[in-house]
Amino acid sequence: MLSITKSALAAAWLWSSLTLAFTNPIKTLNGSDPQMVYDNGYYYLTSTSWTTVEITKARTIEGLKTAIPTVIYDDKSDPLRTRNWWAPEIWRLNGRWYVYFSTSINGTWGEMLPSLTQWVLEGGTGAPLDEPFSLVGKIRPDNYHGGMLDGTVYNIDGQDYFIFSSVASDDESPNGASLWISKLLDPTTVGPATMIAYPEFDWEHEASAVLEGPAGITSPSGEVWVVYSADSCNGPQYKLGGMKLSPGADPLLASSWTKLQEPLLVTSVENGLYGPGHNGFFKSPDGTQDWMVFHANRNSNGSCDAKRQTFIQQVQWNEDGSPQLAPPLPAGTEIQAPSGECKKRSTLA
């Protein structure tokens, strides 16, 4: 009886000693354009590292802060992969891991943007880092010819879609960088693309007419949303907006989507976060909570560079079914870890 009591006390002490919280920021350098997945006891975080594709792995969110990233690809032999290695995202599709990212040629800004190209890396069928990733090639709709960046994947009613931001000619994208969508026919092939959103509200183009960084999420009531970044990332006007898919409508039609009139997440001078944007969504380990990873600057003069930092906080839901993302919590705020994470930390049998 005494030994059982001691074991119980030891278990209780170990459980109570576990850190069930984390603080932001998660990454203080190269923390922009983040995306995360949770798989079999580990979080996997990607972000823009500018010259490589990297994945950071840890059992806990707090652990991501000290984990050493693994470089999974850095081949620059193609002139189209010389510069601007941006926004990698990792997805499990058809039982295998894939990473999508963009690069460009080396040149002037005007030359680089139209050359932006989306690439696909293929990994293995086990854990994301169990097997090496190899380059499959470009991914591009046959009917689209401009620059592509910030590609993401989202499943709607059993069909995978590829959503990306355009940097295109005036005839393809006459109102600035816009959002396009196409069916993902297989993990490396897409069908024809259509434009579903462009900068139209004043808050979407205070400094620059840009929509980018799309990320899909479904509400507890089943509504499909795409959250996107709006305006220029070179200042505090960068922000998140959202648009909802009409129930049962064709995602490939612009008329199927309705934008929110006001942004979802904006600069908080009071909390010291400027230009919050380019987010990704992920589920808690037990699948009961929605969480968001995003980047922000810590000063009002921050711009589109490596000093943007990674932040994580929980998504709440409004009564009208829209995601509640604001406010961006101040750096250093203690945040309770996602539901189910603590169970993965215990070393007890």
Side-chain angles (χ1 to χ4, degrees):
M1 182 66 179
L2 181 60
S3 62
I4 295 175
T5 302
K6 285 183 177 179
S7 297
L9 288 173
W13 177 85
L14 178 58
W15 191 261
S16 65
S17 68
L18 296 174
T19 301
L20 304 181
F22 67 92
T23 59
N24 285 312
I26 305 303
K27 294 188 73 172
T28 56
L29 187 68
N30 288 339
S32 58
D33 314 325
Q35 185 247 358
M36 280 177 61
V37 297
Y38 182 85
D39 180 71
N40 197 29
Y42 289 91
Y43 297 100
Y44 296 86
L45 169 66
T46 60
S47 61
T48 290
S49 60
W50 303 95
T51 59
T52 64
V53 177
E54 300 177 354
I55 298 176
T56 304
K57 169 188 174 182
R59 281 197 175 275
T60 66
I61 289 180
E62 185 69 17
L64 288 169
K65 295 161 73 168
T66 54
I68 299 174
T70 297
V71 175
I72 64 167
Y73 193 74
D74 62 359
D75 181 4
K76 298 177 181 61
S77 58
D78 190 315
L80 286 173
R81 295 197 297 274
T82 307
R83 291 279 298 277
N84 300 321
W85 289 52
W86 291 344
E89 292 200 1
I90 181 170
W91 294 94
R92 189 178 185 92
L93 303 168
N94 298 345
R96 188 175 291 274
W97 293 100
Y98 293 87
V99 170
Y100 301 85
F101 67 103
S102 65
T103 65
S104 78
I105 64 169
N106 187 20
T108 66
W109 195 243
E111 292 169 336
M112 287 190 294
L113 288 180
S115 75
L116 280 164
T117 301
Q118 287 282 161
W119 303 91
V120 188
L121 302 176
E122 185 179 69
T125 59
L129 296 178
D130 280 358
E131 300 176 47
F133 282 83
S134 60
L135 181 70
V136 177
K138 306 172 189 176
I139 184 166
R140 176 179 292 276
D142 289 339
N143 67 327
Y144 179 84
H145 309 291
M148 297 174 62
L149 67 156
D150 297 350
T152 192
V153 175
Y154 200 63
N155 188 283
I156 303 173
D157 293 333
Q159 170 66 53
D160 289 325
Y161 290 87
F162 191 71
I163 313 171
F164 63 94
S165 177
S166 75
V167 183
S169 59
D170 287 344
D171 59 331
E172 287 185 298
S173 188
N175 299 295
S178 52
L179 299 181
W180 292 62
I181 189 171
S182 59
K183 282 186 178 181
L184 195 63
L185 304 179
D186 61 53
T188 63
T189 310
V190 291
T194 54
M195 185 177 71
I196 55 173
Y198 64 90
E200 53 184 319
F201 299 133
D202 289 344
W203 55 265
E204 292 177 319
H205 52 84
E206 291 179 65
S208 184
V210 174
L211 300 187
E212 61 185 14
I217 188 170
T218 300
S219 73
S221 57
E223 294 174 319
V224 174
W225 292 85
V226 167
V227 173
Y228 58 89
S229 300
D231 219 306
S232 172
C233 62
N234 269 315
Q237 64 279 342
Y238 203 54
K239 58 184 74 73
L240 291 177
M243 57 184 186
K244 181 177 70 172
L245 179 67
S246 298
D250 184 355
L252 296 175
L253 299 177
S255 58
S256 300
W257 298 91
T258 302
K259 280 185 185 178
L260 293 175
Q261 298 290 311
E262 301 295 334
L264 289 167
L265 187 69
V266 300
T267 286
S268 174
V269 175
E270 179 182 0
N271 291 344
L273 269 71
Y274 300 86
H278 201 129
N279 74 299
F281 295 110
F282 64 98
K283 286 285 188 181
S284 60
D286 65 4
T288 65
Q289 297 172 337
D290 293 300
W291 286 77
M292 174 179 68
V293 58
F294 64 99
H295 75 236
N297 279 302
R298 298 284 293 282
N299 66 80
S300 59
N301 295 319
S303 61
C304 300
D305 60 22
K307 295 181 180 179
R308 291 174 291 179
Q309 300 182 357
T310 302
F311 291 79
I312 293 174
Q313 62 188 55
Q314 189 176 351
V315 176
Q316 305 293 344
W317 293 95
N318 296 311
E319 291 184 2
D320 66 358
S322 61
Q324 183 184 109
L325 308 183
L329 300 176
T333 301
E334 187 171 276
I335 301 173
Q336 185 174 349
S339 178
E341 180 180 300
C342 58
K343 295 178 183 179
K344 297 297 182 183
R345 298 187 183 190
S346 176
T347 58
L348 297 176

